[in-house]
Amino acid sequence: MAEGGSTATASPPSQASPPAPAAAVAEEEPRPWGDLPERVLIRVSGFLPRGFDRVHMACVNRRWHAAVAPRPWGDLPERVLLDVSGFLPCGVDRVHMACVSRHWHAAVTGSEQPDPPVLPPLPPQLPWVIFPNTEAPTFYSALGRNYHRLGRLPPDLRRARFCGSSDGGWLVLALDSSHAYALYNLYSHQRVPLPPEFETPRGAVFPLVVRAATLSNPPFQNEFMVAAIVLVANRSTVAFWTMYRGRWFSGGLGPLDVTPQDLIYYGGAFFFITTDERLATFWPSEHPDGGEVIADRMDYDMQQREDYDDDVGFVQGNGQMRRYLVQSRGRLLMVVRYIYHDTGTEMFRVFRLHVTNPLGNAQVPPRAHWEDLGDELDGRMLFLGPGCSRSFEVAQHDGFQDQESMIFFLDESFDSVPSADGRRLYSFTDMGRYSMEEMTSEPWPPGDRPTSSDNAPPTWCLH
């Protein structure tokens, strides 16, 4: 009994909740931070912008230190190397990465794995700019934005003059002053000798000088033909060559009446553009008597553009107009380059071939004219060179959005000055990129590029 006569009653003890099963506790408990997977730790470290924070992260424990602390580049995990290689858009950069060490080569190529990794496909490869030099030729990769040494070239090729290029790494080379020519592949190092002489339809034989050349398709894959703008007996004309022919030969209807400036293989035929902007086409075909392949000629009935005379009068005496043929989006373009004696390249204009009367009667040539495309290329980049001009879509190349409506051009002059050691030095100064929208040009490629060489001119390497 309590004091004061009151009676105290004890309340029943509260019943405790039954403990949760051990398995349920394990599922609900967060994973200890120290046990995070290594790839998660590497990703987290990559989001830390300050090196001081990364050092602190590496000091948490031994496991975190092993995951995120700097390690020798040669020991990078295969997964990391594979990811890095996938971000390289230029094929030559991927090759160079695979050549760093055996570990890197095995990671990138999968040569030691039962299921080799699949790298992201390369975008369409932009042309390389080859800077010729008898001692140390180099090239610039627009995709990789780097200069590289062009190694493994035999001595006679280092002294050669570039006459043109074609897809698959093929170059047309003038080997020496005795009219020796060859096709050469930069990748496989295959070589195809070309004859030094030209035979007229009447059987007369002359030595020739190749100014520009291109191929119908890469050698050894299918039958192919080489077409060229050549100098024969002090006259500029066109010439063709196929395998097993002992000499270059002319196309049908004899030589052109006007000097040709550029050529392209387009739609199964070779197109030549002349100084008066007319087109002559040559179609490879078999001789009616069988055996040899010939080039049948067909000329367009070209309607001269209205401002042609104004253009000619504007540059006459002050410079020259250089014309290029480019295939783009299934159509044929003509690009006119305005080069002035004092200032070099000042402007470009782009035209598209419009055929108003297609070929229907072999006796009546098709009628066509050039349409001015104005100051936009509609998402395209143009790379210009004799016999090797190409068009590329900006949308297919990440990081090239600022290159839209750009024209990339090379120095094609043979202006030279004597060097201290008696050699001739050729200039690479009139080359760059031109904005169609702003109508201005700037030097290109960027960086410390060669500005002269003892061999000329530069050219594109097409992939």
Side-chain angles (χ1 to χ4, degrees), residues 393-407:
E393 300 291 334
V394 173
Q396 295 180 336
H397 299 87
D398 292 336
F400 278 78
Q401 285 69 27
D402 61 335
Q403 312 293 325
E404 186 171 341
S405 296
M406 286 286 184
I407 295 178

Side-chain angles (χ1 to χ4, degrees), residues 53-284:
D53 293 332
R54 296 188 181 185
V55 171
H56 277 187
M57 183 175 176
C59 294
V60 170
N61 59 33
R62 288 184 176 181
R63 193 168 182 281
W64 282 36
H65 183 275
V68 304
R71 66 178 71 191
W73 287 99
D75 297 334
L76 287 176
E78 291 185 358
R79 181 70 253 175
V80 174
L81 293 171
L82 195 61
D83 288 343
V84 171
S85 180
F87 282 107
L88 299 177
C90 178
V92 70
D93 290 336
R94 292 189 180 183
V95 172
H96 284 174
M97 182 176 176
C99 294
V100 169
S101 67
R102 284 188 177 182
H103 175 61
W104 283 36
H105 184 273
V108 173
T109 64
S111 58
E112 299 178 4
Q113 303 177 28
D115 297 319
V118 178
L119 289 173
L122 290 168
Q125 296 293 284
L126 298 179
W128 298 342
V129 188
I130 298 181
F131 295 97
N133 191 289
T134 58
E135 297 179 355
T138 59
F139 70 91
Y140 177 79
S141 167
L143 277 178
R145 294 179 170 87
N146 285 319
Y147 292 88
H148 304 272
R149 289 285 299 272
L150 191 61
R152 298 183 62 188
L153 279 183
D156 63 330
L157 298 186
R158 295 192 177 202
R159 296 189 297 268
R161 173 175 60 86
F162 295 106
C163 304
S165 58
S166 190
D167 296 331
W170 286 96
L171 300 173
V172 185
L173 303 174
L175 298 179
D176 53 43
S177 58
S178 62
H179 307 285
Y181 296 91
L183 304 177
Y184 181 77
N185 190 281
L186 277 180
Y187 306 145
S188 65
H189 307 288
Q190 292 173 296
R191 187 185 301 210
V192 180
L194 298 176
E197 296 175 325
F198 173 84
E199 184 174 358
T200 68
R202 295 184 177 182
V205 177
F206 297 92
L208 84 169
V209 176
V210 177
R211 294 300 191 191
T214 191
L215 283 68
S216 60
N217 49 274
F220 308 118
Q221 294 184 7
N222 295 293
E223 293 292 331
F224 72 98
M225 178 179 283
V226 184
I229 298 174
V230 299
L231 188 66
V232 177
N234 294 321
R235 181 175 182 176
S236 184
T237 186
V238 302
F240 304 90
W241 179 81
T242 58
M243 290 287 285
Y244 313 116
R245 291 287 290 260
R247 298 184 179 96
W248 295 80
F249 60 94
S250 64
L253 304 181
L256 301 182
D257 298 328
V258 185
T259 301
Q261 280 199 324
D262 195 26
L263 71 162
I264 189 175
Y265 185 73
Y266 165 73
F270 290 102
F271 284 68
F272 291 82
I273 184 74
T274 61
T275 53
D276 60 356
E277 299 181 359
R278 299 183 182 276
L279 283 176
T281 61
F282 294 83
W283 300 79

Side-chain angles (χ1 to χ4, degrees), residues 404-426:
E404 186 171 341
S405 296
M406 286 286 184
I407 295 178
F408 298 82
F409 59 97
L410 303 176
D411 192 332
E412 301 168 18
S413 66
F414 281 84
D415 297 334
S416 63
V417 295
S419 63
D421 57 3
R423 295 181 299 171
R424 304 294 299 182
L425 289 182
Y426 298 88

